[in-house]
């Protein structure tokens, strides 16, 4: 099932060699462990550079996370789940 979202989420993040690495996040009351980051890109919004991550979770679930450094906060933009 595909969902286009704009949900704020809590993300456990590591900073490795100056790069942001999302490890897991909480969504709908459950923790989603990130198995791999499959894509990274940025998008400029005014003076701010938003950082996007395509990540694989459990089984075949794929998610799009966005880090907005202005607030700072993480947003779950999209989800492709088996539900």
């Amino acid at each position: 099932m595909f969902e286009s979202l704009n949900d704020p989420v809590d993300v456990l993040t590591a900073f490795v060699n100056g790069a942001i690495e999302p490890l897991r996040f909480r969504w709908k009351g459950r923790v989603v462990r990130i198995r791999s980051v499959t894509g990274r890109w940025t998008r400029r919004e005014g003076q701010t550079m938003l950082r996007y991550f395509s990540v694989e979770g459990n089984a075949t679930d794929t998610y799009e996370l966005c880090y907005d450094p202005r607030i700072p906060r993480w947003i779950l933009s999209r989800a492709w789940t088996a539900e």
Side-chain angles (χ1 to χ4, degrees):
M1 173 172 65
F2 170 78
E3 294 181 75
S4 184
L5 308 160
N6 193 26
D7 292 349
V9 290
D10 294 324
V11 179
L12 179 64
T13 307
F15 293 88
V16 181
N17 296 325
I20 299 172
E21 190 70 30
L23 303 174
R24 62 181 178 252
F25 63 95
R26 185 181 314 273
W27 181 50
K28 291 186 176 179
R30 63 185 174 95
V31 173
V32 177
R33 185 173 164 267
I34 296 172
R35 290 188 306 142
S36 67
V37 176
T38 57
R40 301 167 193 268
W41 65 98
T42 58
R43 183 175 63 88
R44 183 172 296 283
E45 192 170 282
Q47 296 293 333
T48 304
M49 193 66 81
L50 301 176
R51 300 184 184 283
Y52 286 86
F53 299 85
S54 175
V55 299
E56 289 182 346
N58 307 326
T60 59
D61 297 347
T62 303
Y63 305 92
E64 181 183 284
L65 294 168
C66 174
Y67 177 69
D68 183 345
R70 292 175 291 198
I71 296 181
R73 72 175 177 174
W74 284 91
I75 298 293
L76 179 60
S77 306
R78 295 185 178 107
W80 294 265
T81 60
E83 295 178 358

